[in-house]
Amino acid sequence: RHEFDPPKPLKNLDEDIIRLQKSGVLTKGSLFQFATLISYFSRLKRYRFEGVLVEWLSSIEIPKKALDFCAFFEDSGDFDYTKSSELYNAKLNVENAKKSVTRELSKYLHSEKLAPYLVDRQLHFLGKDELLLLRPGFNAVLRGKIVSRSASGFFYVLPSSVDSLKDELEKKISHFEELEYKLCKELS
């Protein structure tokens, strides 16, 4: 008679409840689990059931504060960053910093001065870094840090300008994570 989506699978929340009782801070994933649970019961209460189910559902009270808590999350489990302008701006700053790093590396890949030293026109990943693969003698046209050598004697290089942009990116990521933690603390 009533068609509705089954609840999304939830992890066991016992440890998270104990952590909350001890005034701990939950992770974003754990908070999302609670938001999923609350929003599911809220959705169930909107259906017109009959009999014992109506009595049982009406005995469940969901405070407005709990519903507001659910609004902080998207369906994907991520925060709805539009709810906090500071967090939203920090997220945009991280995205812009990542684009700046990519743009700067792309600039080097298409540089005429550097062309004779480029082994190929692609970025190479070594660990978490995107690097240029260059022939010996590149230091005449590019300042950078040699991260490693390839088996064929070429150099994996991180240009100095990209290194400083990556440092800036790390600071912005750190600030963003700090704001996310503060929101997790506030929501816990």
Side-chain angles (χ1 to χ4, degrees):
R1 201 194 240 190
H2 297 284
E3 290 186 30
F4 54 90
D5 298 330
K8 295 175 184 171
L10 295 176
K11 72 173 191 163
N12 187 327
L13 298 172
D14 291 344
E15 288 180 25
D16 295 323
I17 291 171
I18 291 169
R19 187 172 289 134
L20 283 174
Q21 289 171 338
K22 294 181 179 182
S23 300
V25 178
L26 297 181
T27 63
K28 179 170 59 172
S30 294
L31 290 168
F32 177 67
Q33 296 289 307
F34 280 103
T36 303
L37 185 66
I38 293 167
S39 60
Y40 185 71
F41 277 104
S42 172
R43 208 173 45 212
L44 274 180
K45 287 179 71 108
R46 286 188 232 130
Y47 287 104
R48 304 260 184 241
F49 292 111
E50 297 172 5
V52 180
L53 196 53
V54 169
E55 292 174 33
W56 181 71
L57 283 172
S58 63
S59 70
I60 299 172
E61 292 182 29
I62 302 173
K64 178 164 177 13
K65 194 172 184 178
L67 295 173
D68 293 343
F69 163 78
C70 294
F72 272 94
F73 294 92
E74 295 177 345
D75 291 338
S76 64
D78 237 349
F79 284 128
D80 181 357
Y81 294 106
T82 60
K83 300 288 180 189
S84 165
S85 61
E86 190 178 14
L87 193 59
Y88 179 73
N89 289 334
K91 184 175 178 12
L92 284 179
N93 287 340
V94 168
E95 289 171 2
N96 289 335
K98 285 179 181 177
K99 287 177 186 173
S100 293
V101 168
T102 304
R103 243 190 332 268
E104 190 71 15
L105 281 166
S106 180
K107 183 177 84 175
Y108 284 115
L109 287 175
H110 299 93
S111 166
E112 291 299 319
K113 287 181 181 178
L114 199 56
Y117 301 103
L118 285 170
V119 174
D120 53 22
R121 292 196 183 270
Q122 61 184 351
L123 296 175
H124 296 266
F125 285 92
L126 197 63
K128 62 177 182 153
D129 290 324
E130 294 175 296
L131 306 167
L132 302 171
L133 186 59
L134 301 174
R135 292 182 173 86
F138 71 88
N139 57 346
V141 292
L142 175 73
R143 293 271 178 238
K145 179 168 58 174
I146 298 173
V147 176
S148 184
R149 279 191 84 148
S150 70
S152 26
F154 301 122
F155 299 96
Y156 289 105
V157 178
L158 180 63
S160 297
S161 61
V162 174
D163 196 24
S164 63
L165 285 173
K166 283 193 174 214
D167 288 343
E168 198 62 35
L169 173 62
E170 291 300 320
K171 287 177 189 172
K172 289 178 180 184
I173 288 173
S174 178
H175 178 65
F176 174 71
E177 288 172 348
E178 184 180 317
L179 290 174
E180 263 195 341
Y181 177 78
K182 282 181 184 177
L183 183 58
C184 286
K185 189 174 181 179
E186 184 182 313
L187 292 175
S188 292

